[in-house]
Amino acid sequence: MHMKKIIALLLAATLLFAFAACGKKEQPTTSNPQTTTKNQETSQTTTKKDTENKTDYSKIPDTMSTEDSKYEIAFITDIGQLLDKSFNQGTWEGLKKYAYENGKSYKYYQPANGNQATDTDRYNAMKAAADAGAKVIVCAGYLQEESLRRAATDYPEVYFIFIDGNVIKAGEGEGAQPLKNVAAVDFNEEQSGFLAGYAAVMDGYTRLGFTGGGAGTNPSCNRFAYGYAQGIEQAAKKLGKEAELTLSWEYGASFSPSAELQTMLGGWYAKGTEIIFCCGGPMCQSAFAAASANDGAVIGCDVDQSGESDTVITSALKGLRESVEFTLKKAYEDKWEDIGGKLTTLGAKENAVGLPTDTWKMKSFSVEDYKKLFEAMKKGEIEIDRDYEKLKPESFERLKLVIV
């Protein structure tokens, strides 16, 4: 309980405050959790804008240079592009914000071969980061696990942060011990999915869809899907209605947009689906296009995607930015033992999931209604099942689940 309270306070503070700075050259230092090297200077002027206590992440450059080509904090991207308007971008923005505000040099590394990257490609990116002076390396996505195990073993002096991952052990078998230089973070995506599904049905949608990345093997997407179904079920019960959910992992293995995915989703809309929750980073572009062509609606994922398409009525959020800032603070405040070798799960209690209220487009379900629902979840009055193996048609009463 003590640990959860600390997390809640730190995340709440991160969400409530942003720092304004004038346009001047930063002087990043390379002081770090374990060693200190010479000062490094960014090669470009960076500015930030404080608008309604929100950071303008676009004003913090994605690239910088240093006098000795050393970078203290590194990011290893998941598949897809850095600025994917979703998972990679949300994680990166948390990293560069922390680095910028604390005078640390930073750099991102994209594994070779794009969406076809191998474990070796990912390891090579981590190795390049460590060899370039990284003291903390943030790795995004569950696909990084095997590469991360190797890199964390080869570079025991480096701290690794594994976003959307599990505890990494030094080997296989019962005797394998967690690597203490790896901190794993995941989220209660099922809570965020629940909020999205519940809100959609309360707003009048009864024919819903879900398309997800990872071909059904991605735990994060699976939790989003199961929570979404539970939210639909509960709202349908409350309203005394029946609802239908068409769900598919087809065309999402690589998390990429495609003509095939757009055609499939367009067919759903044409047959009566009213709104589709797309959980898969860049593949959401296919959902936006299908919805736009068919006068349909979309629920975005990970970050607020309302700016990407007018079809987005809400987004199921998780605190990617805040989680990275939280773990980096632990590293730089000599509190790594709180998270190293452990899995930290963040959810409603830590304000790390939810729906964006600033861009609210619901008509029948109000922000006030949402806040009451969220507070009930935060207090534990609403519990959402996390076991996505139960995402089966027979698990629901008011929801007709069709898996295609």
Side-chain angles (χ1 to χ4, degrees):
M1 291 300 294
H2 180 64
M3 178 62 188
K4 289 184 177 179
K5 288 180 179 178
I6 293 175
I7 294 173
L9 289 171
L10 287 170
L11 283 171
T14 301
L15 288 165
L16 290 173
F17 298 97
F19 301 92
C22 20
K24 64 179 181 179
K25 282 194 174 183
E26 290 295 306
Q27 301 287 338
T29 66
T30 53
S31 61
N32 58 73
Q34 296 162 318
T35 62
T36 300
T37 58
K38 69 175 183 176
N39 287 351
Q40 299 168 326
E41 181 176 1
T42 177
S43 66
Q44 51 189 308
T45 300
T46 60
T47 61
K48 295 189 303 174
K49 178 176 64 177
D50 187 8
T51 303
E52 295 180 355
N53 287 331
K54 292 183 180 180
T55 300
D56 186 349
Y57 296 98
S58 67
K59 296 299 183 181
I60 306 174
D62 292 318
T63 59
M64 65 173 295
S65 62
T66 60
E67 291 179 344
D68 58 1
S69 298
K70 296 292 185 181
Y71 299 88
E72 185 169 342
I73 305 177
F75 176 48
I76 311 300
T77 69
D78 195 7
I79 55 178
Q81 297 301 309
L82 175 72
L83 303 182
D84 60 0
K85 308 297 183 181
S86 188
F87 184 69
N88 276 333
Q89 185 167 342
T91 307
W92 174 237
E93 287 176 346
L95 184 155
K96 69 178 185 177
K97 176 176 181 286
Y98 179 88
Y100 171 59
E101 291 179 347
N102 291 278
K104 311 296 182 185
S105 56
Y106 58 94
K107 185 175 180 178
Y108 70 88
Y109 297 78
Q110 292 186 284
N113 297 312
N115 289 348
Q116 303 302 315
T118 64
D119 286 341
T120 298
D121 294 328
R122 297 182 184 96
Y123 171 79
N124 287 339
M126 296 175 198
K127 182 178 186 300
D131 290 345
K135 303 306 176 184
V136 185
I137 299 177
V138 178
C139 302
Y142 76 117
L143 294 174
Q144 309 265 18
E145 182 167 342
E146 288 307 314
S147 307
L148 183 50
R149 188 191 320 278
R150 180 181 171 190
T153 300
D154 290 349
Y155 295 91
E157 75 284 359
V158 176
Y159 287 153
F160 291 85
I161 296 170
F162 190 13
I163 302 297
D164 261 9
N166 294 309
V167 171
I168 302 293
K169 295 185 177 181
E172 303 295 333
E174 294 183 5
Q177 295 298 310
L179 289 166
K180 297 295 186 181
N181 61 328
V182 180
V185 179
D186 71 0
F187 301 86
N188 290 124
E189 291 96 348
E190 70 282 358
Q191 294 179 338
S192 201
F194 177 94
L195 293 167
Y198 188 95
V201 173
M202 295 300 290
D203 204 46
Y205 296 96
T206 57
R207 299 188 67 179
L208 306 95
F210 177 93
T211 178
T217 65
N218 183 303
S220 175
C221 291
N222 291 347
R223 288 193 291 267
F224 269 125
Y226 186 36
Y228 183 55
Q230 292 177 75
I232 295 170
E233 166 89 346
Q234 289 303 312
K237 284 183 177 180
K238 183 176 181 64
L239 296 175
K241 293 183 176 180
E242 301 291 330
E244 180 178 321
L245 172 60
T246 302
L247 182 149
S248 179
W249 303 106
E250 193 74 23
Y251 309 120
S254 66
F255 293 84
S256 300
S258 67
E260 293 81 3
L261 177 59
Q262 183 177 333
T263 298
M264 180 182 77
L265 301 182
W268 290 7
Y269 284 122
K271 293 179 181 178
T273 297
E274 301 160 327
I275 187 168
I276 295 174
F277 179 13
C278 183
C279 177
M283 62 186 285
C284 291
Q285 296 301 322
S286 294
F288 301 154
S292 181
N294 291 274
D295 196 26
V298 175
I299 294 172
C301 191
D302 289 339
V303 298
D304 185 355
Q305 294 188 311
S306 60
E308 297 304 299
S309 171
D310 290 338
T311 65
V312 177
I313 67 161
T314 192
S315 299
L317 309 178
K318 61 182 182 182
L320 294 167
R321 303 179 184 101
E322 294 78 22
S323 70
V324 175
E325 291 188 74
F326 164 74
T327 48
L328 286 172
K329 284 181 180 179
K330 288 290 186 181
Y332 282 95
E333 293 176 359
D334 295 324
K335 296 178 181 178
W336 184 260
E337 66 277 4
D338 291 346
I339 57 175
K342 303 173 185 177
L343 172 64
T344 301
T345 299
L346 306 175
K349 290 182 179 179
E350 295 78 33
N351 294 311
V353 298
L355 306 180
T357 56
D358 290 347
T359 54
W360 197 259
K361 290 184 180 179
M362 302 284 182
K363 296 179 180 179
S364 300
F365 189 61
S366 70
V367 171
E368 287 301 314
D369 291 334
Y370 162 72
K371 288 182 176 179
K372 290 177 182 178
L373 179 68
F374 182 80
E375 285 303 312
M377 180 181 289
K378 190 173 181 179
K379 293 176 182 177
E381 296 170 2
I382 298 175
E383 295 185 2
I384 316 303
D385 193 354
R386 188 175 171 85
D387 183 7
Y388 54 79
E389 295 295 334
K390 298 176 185 176
L391 183 58
K392 300 175 181 178
E394 58 268 26
S395 299
F396 305 95
E397 299 174 7
R398 291 280 185 172
L399 171 62
K400 178 184 178 182
L401 175 61
V402 179
I403 302 176
V404 297

